[in-house]
Amino acid sequence: MKKIKKLLAVFAAVSVALMLPLQTMAAVDLNAKYDISTNQIQGWPAGPDITSDTGILMDADTGVVLYNKGGDEQRYPASITKIMTLLVAVENSTMDEKVTFTETGVRNVTADSSNIGTKVGEVLTMEDCLHALIIQSANDVAAQIAEHIGGTEQAFIDMMNQRASEIGCTNTHFANSSGLPDDNHYSSARDMALIFREGLKNETFRTVVGTPDYIIQPTNMNSQQRILHTHHPMFAPESGFYYEGCIGGKTGTTVAAGHTLVTGVTRDNTTYIAVTMRGTELSNSCMDSTAMFNYAFENFTKTEVNGGYVFLPKGVELNSLTEKSENTNGKTETGYYFGDYLIGTASVAQATDTPVPEPTAAAEDSQEAEASTESAGEDNSKTTEKSTAGENSSEKKSIPALRKILLMIMAAMILILIALLAALRIKEKKHHK
């Protein structure tokens, strides 16, 4: 009975494992067609009809989406996967680290896989590896970076998926670090734009994606220089698809993925990110991206507000927008809406009361001394007031007594004078007789 239960458990586990890839394949519907959802916003400038299955145009600073065609639909990313590989690598390594190649990376040195021809035991710097990853789209380097940083490829892939979740990706799952075909390896145009946007916040990431040419000097197992030049037509000045202000990006292609493209462009203090997925040709992907960039620059004005920016459609005034604010973590976060569509955000720190410092022992003693002095002063003042009042009272009492004495003396003197006059009168009468 126990053996039967174990067999059933193993069978169930195997069944689930086999079903996962099938479920993933069902989720990535390569036959589905999508409308331009931003064209359905009332009063919104009409966007271009791109040929790629899906596409998105996002502002790098705010994350505001100005153009969206199936941006949340799953597609196979192919080598634009390496944007996430680059982000995780620059966040977890230094450029001067030595990377020793093993069979893990070298197994991808095949005729049908993009590579730089590494050999087992060859040593490159991480700086060399990252430039080969982006410029040459080297799959051997992608796998070796994963093993070097993660300890194992799978550990690094887990880091990629964890970082994607932290960034806010909701339609992404990575199964490798290169973008080679795997039914369980998928993403969306919005998620890839979010990943590239996050990468642009990192100085080393910006440097690597913004380098069109790089030379790997001879190594311990290769006596020749490896000269690398960008494969991104919109980033290559000699290309007919070169776009002024392009700051780099990444191309990708497999049979199932078609052509995928991530591109960043900076003009007039504004950086836009364009992502196209499942294009029929790289040239078409470039034209689709160019159309989205032109659409954004021609139809929207980046306008500063207190604590942020909004993207005003042509002919729309700032005071016509709807504002929604909420207080979060000591800040007032404000969203600006064109109808129900978010077109800008602002964040302002809330005003706080000046904190009153706790009194120290010395301050308390000082306060007590001041209080004692004040009390003594009050007592002295009261004593002085009482003394003054007493003196005034005595003076008031002594005045009537003095008057009485003076009156009595005057009365006595008058009586004496009358008596003298009376005596003189009697003496004169006697003399006349």
Side-chain angles (χ1 to χ4, degrees):
M1 188 67 179
K2 289 183 178 180
K3 289 183 178 180
I4 294 174
K5 287 183 177 180
K6 285 183 178 180
L7 288 172
L8 289 173
V10 171
F11 177 76
V14 171
S15 298
V16 171
L18 290 172
M19 288 175 64
L20 286 174
L22 294 176
Q23 291 173 348
T24 303
M25 288 181 68
V28 182
D29 184 1
L30 299 181
N31 295 316
K33 302 299 179 183
Y34 306 102
D35 294 326
I36 304 169
S37 60
T38 42
N39 282 357
Q40 299 170 9
I41 303 171
Q42 186 174 0
W44 197 258
D49 188 13
I50 63 175
T51 61
S52 297
D53 273 12
T54 66
I56 204 164
L57 192 289
M58 177 184 290
D59 169 60
D61 292 328
T62 63
V64 171
V65 173
L66 303 182
Y67 179 95
N68 188 352
K69 177 187 176 183
D72 293 308
E73 304 301 329
Q74 293 175 356
R75 284 293 180 272
Y76 298 121
S79 281
I80 61 174
T81 297
K82 294 181 175 79
I83 289 173
M84 176 56 91
T85 304
L86 173 62
L87 175 59
V88 176
V90 298
E91 290 179 340
N92 294 278
S93 68
T94 59
M95 295 301 96
D96 58 355
E97 287 182 23
K98 302 298 183 183
V99 180
T100 301
F101 278 74
T102 67
E103 188 59 41
T104 298
V106 174
R107 71 171 186 264
N108 288 303
V109 180
T110 61
D112 60 348
S113 177
S114 179
N115 63 84
I116 59 169
T118 52
K119 299 176 182 179
V120 174
E122 186 169 7
V123 179
L124 275 70
T125 65
M126 181 60 73
E127 183 178 11
D128 291 338
C129 289
L130 295 181
H131 283 91
L133 176 80
I134 297 300
I135 299 175
Q136 192 66 27
S137 197
N139 294 325
D140 51 342
V141 173
Q144 200 61 59
I145 288 173
E147 184 180 71
H148 175 83
I149 293 175
T152 65
E153 278 189 278
Q154 188 56 53
F156 185 86
I157 294 163
D158 292 341
M159 293 168 68
M160 293 171 67
N161 285 314
Q162 176 62 34
R163 195 70 179 93
S165 177
E166 293 170 357
I167 293 169
C169 300
T170 55
N171 291 289
T172 294
H173 183 270
F174 296 115
N176 56 61
S177 59
S178 60
L180 288 170
D182 189 307
D183 291 337
N184 200 33
H185 188 95
Y186 52 85
S187 189
S188 69
R190 185 194 297 272
D191 286 357
M192 291 308 306
L194 289 174
I195 293 168
F196 193 69
R197 179 190 178 211
E198 186 70 13
L200 291 178
K201 298 175 184 178
N202 184 289
E203 183 177 355
T204 304
F205 180 100
R206 292 197 307 272
T207 297
V208 174
V209 298
T211 302
D213 298 282
Y214 187 84
I215 298 176
I216 299 176
Q217 297 299 333
T219 69
N220 62 321
M221 301 190 75
N222 191 319
S223 61
Q224 302 296 316
Q225 290 183 333
R226 293 177 171 102
I227 300 174
L228 312 179
H229 181 63
T230 182
H231 290 177
H232 196 314
M234 298 178 71
F235 192 41
E238 75 279 3
S239 167
F241 296 103
Y242 176 74
Y243 197 90
E244 183 183 352
C246 183
I247 59 174
K250 186 73 188 74
T251 62
T253 182
T254 66
V255 174
H259 287 271
T260 58
L261 190 65
V262 175
T263 313
V265 167
T266 297
R267 287 185 187 176
D268 302 325
N269 198 35
T270 301
T271 299
Y272 287 129
I273 300 167
V275 180
T276 61
M277 301 189 77
R278 203 159 183 262
T280 54
E281 298 290 342
L282 179 56
S283 59
N284 290 336
S285 298
C286 291
M287 288 188 286
D288 286 345
S289 299
T290 295
M292 288 192 289
F293 284 128
N294 289 343
Y295 163 76
F297 285 118
E298 293 170 3
N299 289 280
F300 296 89
T301 302
K302 184 178 182 180
T303 304
E304 186 174 3
V305 293
N306 185 25
Y309 295 94
V310 297
F311 287 83
L312 293 176
K314 185 183 297 184
V316 174
E317 298 294 331
L318 183 62
N319 58 14
S320 68
L321 303 180
T322 301
E323 299 180 24
K324 297 179 183 179
S325 299
E326 61 179 18
N327 297 329
T328 306
N329 299 325
K331 294 182 178 181
T332 300
E333 306 285 350
T334 303
Y336 293 84
Y337 292 83
F338 179 77
D340 295 326
Y341 195 72
L342 181 67
I343 62 171
T345 58
S347 179
V348 179
Q350 298 172 15
T352 57
D353 296 331
T354 303
V356 179
E358 291 289 335
T360 61
E364 289 178 355
D365 292 342
S366 176
Q367 289 175 357
E368 289 178 2
E370 289 177 4
S372 176
T373 303
E374 290 176 0
S375 177
E378 290 178 0
D379 291 342
N380 290 337
S381 177
K382 289 179 180 178
T383 301
T384 303
E385 289 176 1
K386 287 181 179 180
S387 177
T388 304
E391 290 175 0
N392 291 339
S393 177
S394 297
E395 288 178 1
K396 289 179 181 178
K397 288 181 179 178
S398 64
I399 290 173
L402 182 61
R403 284 177 181 176
K404 286 182 180 181
I405 293 171
L406 290 173
L407 287 172
M408 290 175 67
I409 292 173
M410 288 176 67
M413 290 178 69
I414 290 170
L415 289 173
I416 293 172
L417 182 59
I418 291 172
L420 290 172
L421 290 172
L424 287 172
R425 184 71 180 257
I426 293 171
K427 188 175 181 179
E428 285 179 356
K429 284 182 178 181
K430 285 181 178 182
H431 180 72
H432 284 299
K433 288 181 175 182

